[in-house]
Amino acid sequence: MYDGWLFAFPTLTVEAVDLQEGLPVEQASMSDYAGRVAAQACRMPGPVALCGWSMGGLVVLQAAQEVEPHSLVLLEGSAPAEVQGYSPDVQLVGGAFDPEAEYGNFPTGIAARRESLLARAERKRGISVPSLPCPSLVIASADFPDERGRALADLYGSELVEFPQLRHFDLVLDCAPRRAVADFLGIRATP
């Protein structure tokens, strides 16, 4: 997903963390994923900015509580409980699911891989992240402009950039959101 990002910020060290690497996906939790991001961030030279897309947005929100990054970028991140609410009746079950069967086909060239039912259930139940320790940017598309855009930005007092002409996947595939991230970080990006 982040291939286009690795070279878009020539003055930064960019790491794309594989949240599932070495984990049995059937047992992976959101805390497992956040731990992966926090561990990688702690190995990087500071200051560190965390960036997450979709479910990865909620992962970096969780990781930020441990890492205390310089800044945080949410590309239409899954909303915390403070925005989506709590659903304690959601059962936490292990296993894996096919995201294309659940959400529809991925764009050409993007391979879907099995995802954790446990992590999905945790998100649906609600994960609390009441505040952030750093400045933040929320980027939204036409797909989730409110819950994953305006409401998220309002909760954290984040800068908000909306791309109503883009869809959810476009936020990582199109170069316009990268330019918005570069502007927020005060650096130059390459196309």
Side-chain angles (χ1 to χ4, degrees):
M1 290 301 304
Y2 283 100
D3 285 351
W5 290 67
L6 296 178
F7 303 104
F9 305 98
T11 60
L12 301 178
T13 301
V14 178
E15 293 284 335
V17 179
D18 183 343
L19 300 178
Q20 294 182 356
E21 184 177 0
L23 288 176
V25 69
E26 298 82 7
Q27 300 167 6
S29 69
M30 290 295 288
S31 294
D32 291 332
Y33 295 154
R36 293 293 169 101
V37 170
Q40 183 62 38
C42 289
R43 289 191 290 270
M44 296 184 71
V48 173
L50 299 179
C51 178
W53 170 74
S54 200
M55 177 204 58
L58 187 52
V59 168
V60 299
L61 284 171
Q62 290 178 275
Q65 305 309 304
E66 182 179 337
V67 174
E68 296 190 16
H70 167 273
S71 52
L72 188 106
V73 175
L74 301 171
L75 302 167
E76 224 162 47
S78 293
E82 289 78 11
V83 171
Q84 76 166 19
Y86 293 96
S87 299
D89 56 322
V90 172
Q91 297 297 310
L92 300 180
V93 296
F97 71 98
D98 174 0
E100 285 189 305
E102 187 68 29
Y103 307 122
N105 292 333
F106 282 22
T108 302
I110 302 298
R113 59 185 188 172
R114 296 176 337 131
E115 292 186 18
S116 168
L117 280 171
L118 175 59
R120 182 172 183 255
E122 289 174 324
R123 290 190 310 277
K124 289 188 173 292
R125 180 180 272 193
I127 295 174
S128 178
V129 184
S131 62
L132 290 178
C134 61
S136 54
L137 169 67
V138 172
I139 298 179
S141 76
D143 289 339
F144 304 102
D146 294 319
E147 182 179 303
R148 294 183 179 201
R150 294 176 206 110
L152 206 53
D154 287 347
L155 173 65
Y156 298 122
S158 305
E159 184 177 323
L160 174 65
V161 177
E162 297 180 274
F163 290 98
Q165 75 282 12
L166 298 181
R167 305 299 305 262
H168 189 60
F169 275 96
D170 296 331
L171 295 180
V172 288
L173 300 176
D174 193 278
C175 61
R178 288 179 229 154
R179 286 193 297 270
V181 171
D183 290 346
F184 172 72
L185 296 175
I187 61 168
R188 240 181 107 224
T190 59

